[in-house]
Amino acid sequence: MEHGVEGWKEIEGGVAAPQGFYAVGVQAGIKYPDKYDVALIYSQVQAQAAGVYTKNLVKAHPLYLTQKHLRNGLAQAIVVNSGNANACVGDFGDQSALAMAEVVGMYTAIPQDDVLVASTGVIGVEMPIERVLVGIRAASSELLGNVVQDLKGQAAQNDGAHRAALAIMTTDTMVKEHAYELPCSQGGVIKLGAMAKGSGMIHPNMGTMLGFLTTDAAVPSSVLQRLLREAVEESFNMVTVDGDTSTNDMVLILANGTSGITPSGEDMLNFETMVKSMCIQLAKDIARDGEGASKFMEVSVSGAKTKEDARKVARSICGSSLVKAALFGEDANWGRILTAAGYSGADFDPSIVDIFLGDMTVARAGRGVAFSEETAKEILGHKEVQIRLALNGGEESATAWGCDLTHEYVTINGSYRT
């Protein structure tokens, strides 16, 4: 799949697609038997790294450890478990997160400070750490076997990266993994791989979502940090499923430089576009996979005075329970859309706003217009619905993504802990 003038395309391999990266997923029985629940990502060489984390004041134990390990901007492995969030369990949680890093470091012969740790699952329950560590040992053994085979030129295609993407899922119903390849003007290619999880407890400032990106480009940590923050603002922070922000969210990126390419000029611009496009793709995947969701919602806002005003309006509409319920019921209730924009905190004049469902105008200059209810219901009956607002007060725009609110969402979250 080509992506415009940048020339990058989608390839196979997921998070292990870039040179020098490996990934595996194993079944450790953390919460359920026969579920992949421990993932390990490994770089053959120490990588430049950066991270963005939840803004929730309550943070999971592995998040604190990862922030500590990333102070020097370097990392070589990421270990992730699902089935338990390792959050709000006191000293035991800190010790469990550290033990995960220690075991990876011991088995892969890298400093434990170069191991980043993430968890996802139920909050407030002690980690079954012995099972987790058994899983990490198995993952490390398999991964190192793949590295040895690769060095001997014997490695065959395997599904390790796909199993890693499966292992980080909780209530997700679809795997979220992609890989892109960017030809460079200086010759050669840069590859970017990624995987993410997220379905519920998703709200701007990152909800219960994890995202991991890998690249074989040579990019300094400081540049990665700036780029990742920009990408997250345009992608993961523009997704909302249910208005809840989790304790465990993080997005990490590792750049190991094994392509031998240090992008600059036009190549760097294209690389940055590719990273942002990857994050947007993953954000859309998360919105489409919202817990119990039957419809995907894209809200585009134009004509705002500032970028932040555009983002506030788009996120507010996507996050409105009444808008989400109307989408589920296929009710063209444009008043709920305008109301959600009004309490967003953005500065705009409601009397000049135009609202569209798909290509159909439902309000102009802040007032309803005659439209076909049958056509509106048909538009809202699609699996993917676009809502557009023209604020007509400036030049800035933004897009947010979400989903409808269904009976199934309540069913899923009424019994999540058990």
Side-chain angles (χ1 to χ4, degrees), residues 23-346:
V24 296
V26 300
Q27 298 174 346
I30 294 173
K31 187 175 181 182
Y32 301 110
D34 304 322
K35 182 197 179 301
Y36 290 101
D37 50 15
V38 171
L40 181 59
I41 303 168
Y42 171 81
S43 172
Q44 275 186 286
V45 298
Q46 192 181 57
Q48 299 287 308
V52 176
Y53 313 94
T54 183
K55 294 183 180 178
N56 196 322
L57 289 177
V58 182
K59 293 178 173 61
H61 303 283
L63 193 148
Y64 285 115
L65 184 67
T66 293
Q67 288 180 307
K68 177 183 176 182
H69 285 185
L70 262 187
R71 284 175 187 164
N72 63 358
L74 300 171
Q76 197 166 345
I78 303 171
V79 62
V80 193
N81 75 273
S82 62
N84 187 291
N86 192 17
C88 306
V89 292
D91 291 342
F92 182 82
D94 293 330
Q95 294 164 8
S96 296
L98 183 59
M100 292 172 68
E102 288 174 340
V103 171
V104 172
M106 180 174 62
Y107 273 77
T108 60
I110 65 175
Q112 69 179 44
D113 288 354
D114 281 351
V115 181
L116 310 181
V117 183
S119 300
T120 182
V122 178
I123 295 168
V125 176
E126 288 192 353
M127 179 88 81
I129 190 60
E130 289 308 318
R131 274 178 271 168
V132 174
L133 297 183
V134 168
I136 292 174
R137 294 184 189 104
S140 300
S141 178
E142 180 184 339
L143 187 146
L144 291 178
N146 291 341
V147 173
V148 170
Q149 278 190 303
D150 199 17
L151 291 174
K152 292 180 177 179
Q154 299 173 347
Q157 286 278 13
N158 66 69
D159 65 346
H162 181 66
R163 284 186 281 122
L166 286 170
I168 66 175
M169 295 168 60
T170 51
T171 56
D172 306 60
T173 64
M174 57 179 275
V175 179
K176 303 166 183 72
E177 59 175 342
H178 300 279
Y180 300 152
E181 180 179 86
L182 172 68
C184 293
S185 60
Q186 58 189 280
V189 298
I190 290 172
K191 294 180 180 179
L192 177 70
M195 66 181 191
K197 67 83 54 182
S199 183
M201 216 173 180
I202 303 292
H203 194 57
N205 296 332
M206 299 200 308
T208 194
M209 61 138 295
L210 301 174
F212 308 105
L213 289 79
T214 58
T215 180
D216 49 23
V219 182
S221 174
S222 58
V223 176
L224 288 176
Q225 189 65 59
R226 186 265 305 164
L227 173 56
L228 188 62
R229 287 193 181 281
E230 290 177 0
V232 166
E233 282 299 311
E234 295 179 20
S235 58
F236 299 116
N237 281 355
M238 296 301 291
V239 174
T240 181
V241 168
D242 52 16
D244 277 302
T245 299
S246 179
T247 58
N248 290 61
D249 317 324
M250 68 173 78
V251 180
L252 305 173
I253 184 168
L254 272 61
N256 67 10
T258 54
S259 67
I261 299 173
T262 302
S264 61
E266 194 70 21
D267 288 338
M268 187 61 190
L269 292 176
N270 290 338
F271 174 74
E272 293 188 1
T273 299
M274 181 170 66
V275 171
K276 292 177 181 180
S277 296
M278 175 69 83
C279 291
I280 288 172
Q281 177 66 62
L282 293 171
K284 288 181 177 180
D285 289 346
I286 289 168
R288 288 189 176 95
D289 196 29
E291 286 177 342
S294 66
K295 296 182 180 122
F296 168 78
M297 168 172 47
E298 179 176 274
V299 177
S300 299
V301 175
S302 62
K305 295 177 182 177
T306 67
K307 175 66 73 173
E308 187 55 30
D309 280 341
R311 287 174 174 167
K312 285 179 178 178
V313 172
R315 287 189 300 228
S316 184
I317 294 166
C318 270
S320 165
S321 295
L322 290 177
V323 171
K324 289 156 68 68
L327 180 60
F328 173 64
E330 300 173 5
D331 178 13
N333 194 334
W334 62 267
R336 292 181 177 180
I337 297 171
L338 187 58
T339 298
Y343 62 64
S344 68

Side-chain angles (χ1 to χ4, degrees), residues 291-293 405-416:
E291 286 177 342
L405 182 61
T406 69
H407 306 298
E408 184 64 17
Y409 175 85
V410 178
T411 300
I412 291 169
N413 284 283
S415 59
Y416 181 73

